[in-house]
Amino acid sequence: MKDLPDIPALMARIGACARAAATELAVVPPEQKAEALIAAADTLIARQDAIIAANAKDMKFARDKGLSDAMMDRLRLDPARIAGIAEGLRAVAAQPDPVGEVLAEWDQPSGLHIRRVRTPLGVIGVIYESRPNVTADAGALCLKAGNAVILRGGSESFHSSQAIHACLQAGLQAAGLPEEAIQLVPTRDRAAVHEMLTMTGVIDVIVPRGGKGLVGLVQREARVPVFAHLEGIVHIYVDAAADPEKAMRVVLNAKTRRPGICGAAECLLIHRKIADTLGADLIRALIDAGVEMRVDEALSGIEGTVRASDEDWGCEYLDMVMAARVVGDLGLAIGHIEQHGSQHTDCIITEDDAAAQSFFDQLDSAILMRNASTQFADGGEFGMGAEIGIATGKLHARGPVGAAQLTSFKYLVDGDGAIRD
Amino acid sequence: MKDLPDIPALMARIGACARAAATELAVVPPEQKAEALIAAADTLIARQDAIIAANAKDMKFARDKGLSDAMMDRLRLDPARIAGIAEGLRAVAAQPDPVGEVLAEWDQPSGLHIRRVRTPLGVIGVIYESRPNVTADAGALCLKAGNAVILRGGSESFHSSQAIHACLQAGLQAAGLPEEAIQLVPTRDRAAVHEMLTMTGVIDVIVPRGGKGLVGLVQREARVPVFAHLEGIVHIYVDAAADPEKAMRVVLNAKTRRPGICGAAECLLIHRKIADTLGADLIRALIDAGVEMRVDEALSGIEGTVRASDEDWGCEYLDMVMAARVVGDLGLAIGHIEQHGSQHTDCIITEDDAAAQSFFDQLDSAILMRNASTQFADGGEFGMGAEIGIATGKLHARGPVGAAQLTSFKYLVDGDGAIRD
């Protein structure tokens, strides 16, 4: 699938263009960036037939490759989905511009006035898989934060991403911004990914969005800093002091609303005191809702359950399958989550404030919840607007990564001839 | 200089101990950490004779190695310097504890109450050179932020650092905290540094403190994330609209107060309109103050100047030497700084608000100053308390890195049975 001969030279050119664009973008007024995003949204709607035609090529390629129905569904574009993508661009345009925001300001006894202001990060690399909408979402968020972005989409969504990318470029052009602000790597050659991962001094940070394979590759090979996006191995612990009605509502929603998103619950931990009562009710309700329940020995007497194997602990199903086990107490629940979780999102169901406090204090997941569905693990639901993903690392960005997390800051210091003693 | 046979095994053991300590430290109350630091300060004073004796061994080693006077001075400990180190520990103890601080909290229409709270980062690796006080400063700041730290000091300060480290451990012990919270690599073998740089999953971030050689090594070899601490190639641009009196005061202080610190000015850029007047006065005053002035052709008529070579642009002298050149306008000054600076600290001297605004907008240094001495580039002078250094990277930490910059955060979400539609 080598489309272009010299990948290092191609990527070096793309990188140089991105750095030049980043310098320009850093001082662009908010309105101009918003104008580009709105023009891109308009273009997306105007060109929807062409986008759907490009997507049809990808769908054929995917069918020939024998992709799963779930993958095919992620790839598919139709007028409603294109309208959704355009809506997303308009929403990002309408958000407050993070660049230049004064994060803090104060005076020092020396007479200095110090401001800490948000700045763009610079050049962001986004490496993703089959969802073509990421082209628009990631491009828009990076632009909003004043960054240049190099997008590298999956080979399955190659034509769809190119068609969407052309709309973003039309938007940039309409607003008088450099087209190199949002570049899409124009080749399916995987050598381009390896190149991106080692472009230190050119790319400031890489955001990988995809499955275990991609994230693992990035973590092994990247010399450029990475915002880790591990899988969401989401646990719900139902405490002895859980309210049964809340537990039922939250657990069912967390597992079944959309089992394929990273905030979907994957493992249910049940306090032994309520295992035979609320615990059994929960498992029966999940089975009734169509969930395959893979349980430990203590729960295996419940009709319709399947015995879990060792691989079920710490497994991200992204499907109507859930692991469940009984734990002796809160400490053992925390221990299980530390051992098998992915520090993405974990939840406790309890009316006991002390238990909730321990859960919040002792666990170190990006998002910890009490009595709320883990499906809320989402930038929009957090009130941050669009997101590029949920970061599970602890450096710089954590949790939902929106435009504000794609920034850095600098200190601006005003004196009146102040000198240091 | 191989002191111990199996460095990978040694470092793996240190790493495992650090991770275990980090888990404990994350939930330790503020008072207990402060108690450990105060006890360490007391021990430092009580043991000052032993510390000075250990330092004498290092001084002998350094003398035999033929270290420069400046290096010898950095290494030297005496009662006053030990008292200063102890004072630093007490100051960190007295600072507010960053862990658990609620950085933001808000309600969502879904009924969720969301808090963003500070957490420790985990395990920090600090690699430094000859100054033994870094052992105490870095150890204290990491502990304050709830992190375990692995310290790797320079071989020149081996015995001094061990003596100081023993005081920190005594402090931890007195407060009932794990001694593994602050570990010092007990070997001069450089293989330990290489090991630290690749301990992904064990060390969360590496902070290098030292010269170009060390920072370059770390940047080349680190697989663990690094808080970049580049040299301070600090520029001062004296604009056409500079106030002469402020310019004189600030430039002299920025260069001569302590020429060896990273915030010391290294290059003077002078607007051509004032080159023959204020510019010449500044250069004469700097020469009178004992500074060797390496100047471009336009300034070479001034008595006592030396002609600059190409290597003088972008040079960090850390000494009573300064480069100077005339620039045609503000844009050219900015261009020079972008090309030759290190994004550490840069300064404009001007009474022209528009010029200052352009300087602040277009440059992307960690610290930008107007009419103030660059010697203020320091965590203490910024009101942040002690610092582990000035970060010149853009990810996570930037500018003075104090305890607060050595933290991450997590989201705590409270619901009352909230589910997502």
Side-chain angles (χ1 to χ4, degrees):
Chain A
M1 281 206 299
K2 255 190 155 49
D3 305 321
L4 284 158
D6 187 352
I7 299 293
L10 168 72
M11 295 309 296
R13 201 162 59 239
I14 288 177
C17 289
R19 286 240 71 90
T23 303
E24 273 192 68
L25 282 181
V27 292
V28 158
E31 311 74 45
Q32 208 175 342
K33 291 182 281 182
E35 188 191 332
L37 294 172
I38 292 165
D42 292 344
T43 311
L44 213 58
I45 300 297
R47 295 190 191 168
Q48 63 172 316
D49 292 346
I51 295 167
I52 290 171
N55 184 244
K57 282 200 230 175
D58 288 335
M59 293 293 284
K60 181 177 180 314
F61 175 81
R63 219 171 359 247
D64 293 349
K65 247 179 107 180
L67 256 60
S68 71
D69 286 354
M71 295 277 272
M72 295 285 284
D73 182 61
R74 281 186 204 170
L75 185 54
R76 182 176 297 111
L77 291 176
D78 56 29
R81 286 190 176 179
I82 292 171
I85 295 172
E87 218 32 70
L89 292 175
R90 288 183 218 282
V92 175
Q95 279 175 39
D97 194 294
V99 179
E101 185 191 346
V102 178
L103 298 167
E105 63 182 315
W106 66 96
D107 292 297
Q108 282 297 110
S110 56
L112 300 184
H113 181 74
I114 303 179
R115 283 173 291 165
R116 184 178 168 162
V117 304
R118 254 194 225 286
T119 63
L121 267 178
V123 175
I124 297 177
V126 182
I127 302 174
Y128 52 104
E129 293 185 328
S130 58
R131 293 180 196 267
N133 63 298
V134 177
T135 309
D137 297 352
L141 283 170
C142 290
L143 177 69
K144 184 79 184 185
N147 300 300
V149 60
I150 301 173
L151 302 166
R152 207 290 181 175
S155 58
E156 299 85 7
S157 57
F158 188 67
H159 295 102
S160 315
S161 290
Q162 284 198 316
I164 293 172
H165 176 246
C167 300
L168 298 174
Q169 293 216 302
L172 290 165
Q173 207 168 21
L177 291 175
E179 286 187 33
E180 295 77 14
I182 304 175
Q183 296 180 86
L184 179 69
V185 177
T187 168
R188 282 169 162 157
D189 193 327
R190 291 207 75 165
V193 172
H194 296 263
E195 207 59 36
M196 283 175 76
L197 295 177
T198 54
M199 288 167 75
T200 52
V202 176
I203 297 179
D204 293 292
V205 67
I206 295 269
V207 182
R209 274 205 55 175
K212 259 188 193 175
L214 172 65
V215 171
L217 169 79
V218 168
Q219 289 190 323
R220 273 194 315 279
E221 298 200 359
R223 303 308 308 265
V224 175
V226 172
F227 287 168
H229 283 69
L230 293 180
E231 52 209 323
I233 305 171
V234 174
H235 289 75
I236 300 189
Y237 164 60
V238 182
D239 187 47
D243 175 287
E245 193 272 325
K246 289 180 200 170
M248 188 63 74
R249 194 150 39 120
V250 168
V251 170
L252 278 172
N253 185 265
K255 179 70 236 179
T256 66
R257 176 185 161 272
R258 282 186 63 190
I261 67 173
C262 63
E266 303 291 11
C267 181
L268 188 65
L269 303 173
I270 301 169
H271 192 287
R272 65 174 170 72
K273 277 196 193 156
I274 51 143
D276 296 337
T277 51
L278 174 58
D281 288 347
L282 286 168
I283 286 170
R284 276 188 292 264
L286 285 159
I287 291 170
D288 287 349
V291 180
E292 178 183 325
M293 294 302 298
R294 302 193 185 165
V295 304
D296 70 347
E297 194 182 350
L299 297 167
S300 61
I302 301 168
E303 205 185 312
T305 57
V306 179
R307 274 301 293 277
S309 71
D310 282 351
E311 290 73 52
D312 285 299
W313 314 119
C315 183
E316 188 187 35
Y317 302 110
L318 296 174
D319 205 344
M320 290 289 269
V321 181
M322 190 176 210
R325 65 174 288 194
V326 171
V327 290
D329 59 24
L330 171 65
L332 292 167
I334 289 172
H336 179 99
I337 295 171
E338 281 175 341
Q339 192 183 343
H340 298 290
S342 61
Q343 298 194 311
H344 185 294
T345 300
D346 297 290
C347 176
I348 182 172
I349 311 288
T350 190
E351 298 302 301
D352 176 347
D353 290 344
Q357 190 64 48
S358 290
F359 192 85
F360 280 6
D361 284 348
Q362 288 180 50
L363 281 172
D364 191 21
S365 309
I367 302 171
L368 292 166
M369 295 186 162
R370 176 188 183 183
N371 295 338
S373 171
T374 56
Q375 299 249 343
F376 282 117
D378 171 271
E381 293 295 330
F382 272 51
M384 297 173 182
E387 61 164 47
I388 205 167
I390 307 266
T392 55
K394 300 183 74 172
L395 285 181
H396 196 91
R398 198 173 203 210
V401 179
Q405 279 75 35
L406 297 173
T407 61
S408 182
F409 59 85
K410 60 185 173 188
Y411 292 97
L412 303 180
V413 179
D414 284 290
D416 191 33
I419 59 170
R420 190 165 169 194
D421 290 337
Chain B
M1 278 201 305
K2 255 190 154 52
D3 306 320
L4 285 158
D6 186 351
I7 299 293
L10 168 71
M11 294 310 295
R13 199 162 60 239
I14 289 177
C17 289
R19 285 240 72 91
T23 303
E24 272 192 69
L25 282 180
V27 291
V28 159
E31 310 74 47
Q32 208 175 343
K33 291 183 280 183
E35 188 191 333
L37 294 172
I38 292 165
D42 292 343
T43 311
L44 212 58
I45 299 298
R47 294 190 191 168
Q48 62 171 317
D49 293 345
I51 295 168
I52 289 170
N55 185 244
K57 282 199 229 176
D58 288 334
M59 293 293 284
K60 180 177 181 317
F61 175 81
R63 218 170 359 247
D64 294 348
K65 246 180 111 180
L67 256 61
S68 71
D69 285 353
M71 294 277 273
M72 295 286 283
D73 182 59
R74 281 186 204 170
L75 184 55
R76 183 176 298 111
L77 291 176
D78 57 29
R81 288 191 173 179
I82 292 171
I85 295 172
E87 217 35 68
L89 291 175
R90 288 184 218 282
V92 174
Q95 279 175 39
D97 193 294
V99 179
E101 186 191 345
V102 178
L103 298 167
E105 63 182 315
W106 66 96
D107 291 297
Q108 281 297 110
S110 56
L112 299 185
H113 181 73
I114 303 180
R115 283 174 292 165
R116 184 177 169 165
V117 303
R118 255 195 224 287
T119 63
L121 269 177
V123 175
I124 296 177
V126 183
I127 302 174
Y128 53 105
E129 294 187 326
S130 57
R131 292 180 196 268
N133 64 298
V134 177
T135 308
D137 297 351
L141 283 169
C142 290
L143 177 68
K144 185 78 183 185
N147 300 299
V149 60
I150 300 173
L151 301 166
R152 207 290 181 178
S155 59
E156 299 83 7
S157 56
F158 188 68
H159 296 102
S160 315
S161 291
Q162 285 199 315
I164 293 172
H165 176 245
C167 300
L168 297 174
Q169 294 217 301
L172 291 165
Q173 207 168 22
L177 290 175
E179 286 186 34
E180 294 78 14
I182 304 176
Q183 295 180 85
L184 179 69
V185 176
T187 168
R188 282 170 161 158
D189 194 327
R190 291 206 76 165
V193 172
H194 297 262
E195 207 59 36
M196 281 175 78
L197 295 176
T198 53
M199 288 168 76
T200 52
V202 175
I203 297 180
D204 292 293
V205 66
I206 295 269
V207 183
R209 275 205 56 175
K212 260 188 192 174
L214 172 64
V215 172
L217 168 80
V218 167
Q219 288 189 324
R220 273 194 315 280
E221 299 201 359
R223 303 307 309 262
V224 174
V226 172
F227 287 168
H229 282 70
L230 293 180
E231 49 208 328
I233 303 171
V234 174
H235 289 76
I236 299 188
Y237 163 61
V238 182
D239 188 45
D243 175 284
E245 193 270 324
K246 287 181 200 169
M248 188 62 74
R249 195 152 35 123
V250 167
V251 170
L252 279 172
N253 185 265
K255 180 69 236 179
T256 66
R257 176 184 161 273
R258 280 186 65 189
I261 67 172
C262 63
E266 303 291 12
C267 180
L268 188 65
L269 303 172
I270 301 169
H271 192 288
R272 63 173 170 73
K273 279 196 193 157
I274 51 144
D276 295 337
T277 50
L278 174 57
D281 289 346
L282 286 169
I283 286 170
R284 277 189 290 264
L286 285 158
I287 291 171
D288 286 349
V291 180
E292 176 182 325
M293 294 301 300
R294 303 192 185 166
V295 304
D296 69 349
E297 194 183 350
L299 297 167
S300 61
I302 301 169
E303 205 185 313
T305 57
V306 178
R307 275 300 292 279
S309 70
D310 283 353
E311 290 73 51
D312 284 300
W313 314 120
C315 184
E316 187 187 35
Y317 303 111
L318 297 175
D319 206 345
M320 288 290 270
V321 181
M322 191 178 211
R325 65 174 288 195
V326 171
V327 291
D329 59 23
L330 171 65
L332 292 167
I334 289 171
H336 179 99
I337 296 170
E338 281 175 341
Q339 193 184 340
H340 299 290
S342 60
Q343 297 193 311
H344 186 293
T345 300
D346 297 289
C347 176
I348 182 171
I349 310 288
T350 190
E351 298 303 300
D352 177 347
D353 290 344
Q357 190 65 48
S358 289
F359 192 85
F360 280 7
D361 284 348
Q362 287 179 50
L363 281 172
D364 190 22
S365 309
I367 302 172
L368 291 166
M369 294 186 163
R370 176 188 183 183
N371 295 339
S373 170
T374 56
Q375 299 248 345
F376 284 116
D378 172 90
E381 293 297 328
F382 272 49
M384 296 173 181
E387 61 164 46
I388 205 167
I390 308 268
T392 56
K394 301 182 74 172
L395 284 181
H396 195 92
R398 199 172 201 212
V401 180
Q405 280 74 34
L406 296 173
T407 61
S408 183
F409 58 85
K410 61 185 173 187
Y411 292 98
L412 303 180
V413 179
D414 283 290
D416 191 33
I419 59 170
R420 191 164 169 196
D421 289 339

